[in-house]
């Protein structure tokens, strides 16, 4: 009888492991995690860093030398194209579906729930 009870108890523990939620993370939990980690603000920060790097590179390339109006026009056009491409690559509305798919493909619901719990704890302790 003790053996039967031990086997039943072991099966109960095993079934608890099988109940783990290994379903893909839900959209709601992914959005909550992105909000907790300030993902949108991080993308916006990248935009300003790219702009600053572009300005610094332009200044370094010129080294204070004046440009002819034609060369200035070419440079301005190149900078404008680069900024437009950079803005496209750091557009939150375009990036969000990629983030959603990446998190859905990478994390289970349980894993993301754990990450959310961790970030909520971190956020609460830093306030």
């Amino acid at each position: 009888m003790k053996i039967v009870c031990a086997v039943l108890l072991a099966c109960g523990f095993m079934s608890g492991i099988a109940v783990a939620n290994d379903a893909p993370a839900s959209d709601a939990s992914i959005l909550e995690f992105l909000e907790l980690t300030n993902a949108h603000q991080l993308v916006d920060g990248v935009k300003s860093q790219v702009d600053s790097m572009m300005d610094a590179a332009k200044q370094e390339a010129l080294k204070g030398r004046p440009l002819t109006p034609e060369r200035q026009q070419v440079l301005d056009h190149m900078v404008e194209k680069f900024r437009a491409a950079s803005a496209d690559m750091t557009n939150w509305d375009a990036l969000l579906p990629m983030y959603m798919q990446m998190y859905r493909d990478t994390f289970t619901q349980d894993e993301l729930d754990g990450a959310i719990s961790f970030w909520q704890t971190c956020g609460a302790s830093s306030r």
Side-chain angles (χ1 to χ4, degrees), residues 54-68 71-72 75-76 79:
M54 183 63 182
D55 291 339
K58 185 173 78 171
Q59 295 304 319
E60 177 65 25
L62 293 176
K63 296 186 180 182
R65 293 177 288 186
L67 293 177
T68 64
R71 287 186 182 215
Q72 183 65 52
L75 180 61
D76 291 344
V79 168

Side-chain angles (χ1 to χ4, degrees), residues 1 29 31 34 38 41 50 61 77 85 100 104 108 110 117 123-124:
M1 186 65 171
S29 63
L31 290 171
L34 292 173
N38 297 314
Q41 292 84 353
V50 168
H77 180 71
M100 298 295 288
R104 215 178 287 116
T108 66
D110 279 350
S117 178

